[in-house]
Amino acid sequence: MTSLPLVFDAPRRARPPRHLADLSVEERKSAVIELGEAGFRADQLSRQYFTRFENRPERMSDLPAAVRERLGAALFPALVSEVRHVEADRGATRKTLWKLHDGTLVESVLMRYRERLTVCSSSQAGCGMACPFCATGQGGLQRNLSTAEIVEQVVAAARIAAHGELSGRPVRLSNVVFMGMGEPLANYNRVVAAVRRLTDSAPAGLGLSQRSITLSTVGLVPGMQRLAEEGLHVTLAVSLHAPDDELRDTLVPVNTRWPVREVLEAADNYAARTGRRYSIEYAMIRDINDQPWRADLLGQLLSGRLAHVNLIPLNPTPGSRWDASPKPVEQRFVAGLQAHGVPVTVRDTRGREIDGACGQLAASG
Ligand code: SAH
C-alpha cells in the first residue's frame, strides 16, 4: 500500500466532443439553429434521448434523414462504448466497463432491488482523494468526466432496464448514486449540470426525482457549501469512516484539510438548507475503526443531528492489508450508535464477487 498525494485538479486532457447532454435546453436550441435547422428539432432530439434513451441518430425515425445526419453527427458523438459487462446476484447486479472517446476506462454498476433500480455512476476517471482502503483511490486520478459522459452512464442504465435486459420485463430506473469512481465535488460544475439533466422533467431531462439522486463526498467542505446553495434537493452522503481526526487523517487524507468538525458542520448546513437528512458512510475495518469507543464517540457526535449512518462492511481491494469487521463487532457498533438514538443501517455487499461493490471499481482493461 502506497500513500498517494491528494489531487484536487484533474490533469487537463483533450475535451470529449460536445454532446446533447452537455447542453441546457436553451443551448440545445441555439446549437440546432447554428447547425442550420429549425429550433424545434432540439426538442425532438431531447425527446428521443431522454424519453426513449435513443442515442443513435439513425434510429430517430421522426426526423427526416438529412436532419438526422446533420444533427446526429454534431450532437450525438459516441462518448461511451461498452467494453464488457459482468453480472452477479442472478442478473440483479451488473457492472459495465465503458471506454470513453480517448480510450479512458470507467465503470458503473446497476443494481435491481425489489422496489427500486439504482445505477452507481462514476464522476471522474480514477480519483485523486487517495483513500488507502479504496481501489479507485489507489489508482490515482486520470481525468474529470464531462457532463454528457456522466449522463450517458445513467441513460445507458435506463435503456438497459427499459429494454427488459435485467429481468425480462421493462423496468424504470429510479435512483442514481454518485458512488462510482471519483469524487463528485472535485468535478463540481459538470456533476451539478449532470444532476440537472437527470432531474429536469422530460423532455428537457430524465425526470428523476431529486431526492432519488445521492451525491457522496469525502467531505470537500467548499463544495458542500456550494451545493447547499444550488437549490437542489439531492441526498448528500458523507464518507466519514472515523469520528476522530487522528484516525480520519489516515483513512480519508483530505481530512487534514477539512477535519471532522468542519465536515459535519457543512453537512448540517446542507440539511438546514434543504430539509434533507444526510447519511454518514462508515466502512467497518477490523481493528481499525470498529472499536466500541469509536461507536460511542460517533454516536455522541451525531446525536441530535439530521443524520443517519450507513455502515459498509469493508470490501476487499488488491494489496490491502485490511479486513471487514467480524459480524459481532459490527452488531456491537450498531448497538453503540443506537444507544445515542442515531439511526443505522448496514449496506449490502452487492457486486462484491465481480469487484463491483463500494471501493472496488478500478476499471482495468
Ligand atoms: N469519492 C466519493 C464517492 C465514492 S462513494 C466518496 O468517497 O464519498 C464510494 C464509497 O465507498 C465511499 O463511502 C467510500 O469511502 C467507500 N469505500 C471505498 N472503499 C471501500 C471498501 N474497500 N469497502 C467499503 N467501502 C469502501
Side-chain angles (χ1 to χ4, degrees):
M1 191 145 328
T2 50
S3 63
L4 295 173
L6 278 167
V7 180
F8 292 97
D9 296 313
R12 288 191 178 276
R13 298 273 155 83
R15 269 177 173 229
R18 175 181 73 167
H19 184 281
L20 181 96
D22 285 313
L23 308 177
S24 67
V25 171
E26 301 74 47
E27 291 166 338
R28 285 171 220 168
K29 196 167 168 198
S30 342
V32 163
I33 292 170
E34 264 165 46
L35 291 161
E37 296 293 340
F40 74 92
R41 297 291 184 203
D43 235 40
Q44 285 180 303
L45 296 177
S46 297
R47 210 172 287 277
Q48 285 284 349
Y49 185 67
F50 286 111
T51 70
R52 301 187 54 214
F53 319 127
E54 188 56 78
N55 63 356
R56 294 159 302 179
E58 66 276 14
R59 297 287 183 93
M60 300 180 180
S61 50
D62 57 336
L63 288 119
V67 176
R68 285 201 298 253
E69 231 162 78
R70 190 153 3 158
L71 296 184
L75 293 171
F76 292 97
L79 286 185
V80 308
S81 45
E82 179 174 326
V83 178
R84 67 173 117 84
H85 68 259
V86 273
E87 289 183 348
D89 308 310
R90 285 191 254 100
T93 307
R94 173 198 281 228
K95 180 175 83 165
T96 306
L97 177 67
W98 302 106
K99 187 185 253 169
L100 310 180
H101 81 288
D102 59 354
T104 302
L105 299 171
V106 294
E107 289 179 326
S108 57
V109 185
L110 193 48
M111 293 163 286
R112 177 163 51 84
Y113 298 88
R114 192 164 307 165
E115 74 301 357
R116 66 182 194 279
L117 180 67
T118 301
V119 63
C120 177
S121 307
S122 295
S123 55
Q124 297 182 306
C127 186
M129 296 297 113
C131 303
F133 56 93
C134 176
T136 314
Q138 288 304 295
L141 177 63
Q142 281 105 58
R143 69 165 171 88
N144 281 324
L145 299 191
S146 68
T147 296
E149 285 171 333
I150 298 169
V151 174
E152 274 277 81
Q153 294 169 59
V154 178
V155 167
R159 180 188 309 125
I160 288 165
H163 291 178
E165 276 185 52
L166 289 178
S167 50
R169 62 185 173 82
V171 192
R172 271 187 86 82
L173 181 73
S174 59
N175 295 69
V176 179
V177 296
F178 285 96
M179 295 189 181
M181 305 176 81
E183 165 53 42
L185 296 183
N187 187 16
Y188 189 93
N189 290 336
R190 296 174 194 90
V191 167
V192 166
V195 169
R196 296 198 189 282
R197 302 292 116 75
L198 303 182
T199 57
D200 280 350
S201 41
L206 268 188
L208 295 171
S209 87
Q210 292 187 1
R211 58 187 52 214
S212 69
I213 313 268
T214 301
L215 220 141
S216 179
T217 179
V218 287
L220 301 188
V221 166
M224 293 167 76
Q225 285 164 343
R226 226 178 131 188
L227 190 67
E229 307 299 319
E230 290 288 346
L232 287 170
H233 290 70
V234 297
T235 303
L236 182 69
V238 178
S239 297
L240 202 67
H241 306 309
D244 52 308
D245 288 321
E246 193 184 350
L247 178 59
R248 193 167 190 267
D249 279 350
T250 68
L251 294 180
V252 185
V254 79
N255 193 70
T256 53
R257 187 129 5 153
W258 295 286
V260 173
R261 187 181 52 80
E262 287 181 33
V263 172
L264 291 181
E265 280 171 8
D268 288 344
N269 173 54
Y270 186 82
R273 296 302 301 256
T274 60
R276 306 277 303 138
R277 187 167 84 154
Y278 57 92
S279 46
I280 294 291
E281 295 162 280
Y282 198 105
M284 292 294 286
I285 316 177
R286 179 184 205 147
D287 297 333
I288 300 289
N289 65 351
D290 61 357
Q291 303 82 355
W293 73 265
R294 281 206 164 88
D296 192 50
L297 183 57
L298 184 61
Q300 278 175 38
L301 268 182
L302 297 182
S303 151
R305 296 186 126 112
L306 203 58
H308 128 269
V309 176
N310 201 210
L311 297 179
I312 317 175
L314 186 80
N315 294 306
T317 55
S320 169
R321 55 194 143 96
W322 290 322
D323 294 319
S325 306
K327 279 292 153 191
V329 172
E330 183 184 285
Q331 278 157 17
R332 221 178 310 133
F333 205 89
V334 168
L337 289 169
Q338 285 170 337
H340 290 275
V342 174
V344 200
T345 48
V346 178
R347 188 176 291 177
D348 62 7
T349 52
R350 271 298 184 97
R352 203 183 244 187
E353 326 72 88
I354 54 171
D355 286 342
C358 301
Q360 294 186 310
L361 301 185
S364 49

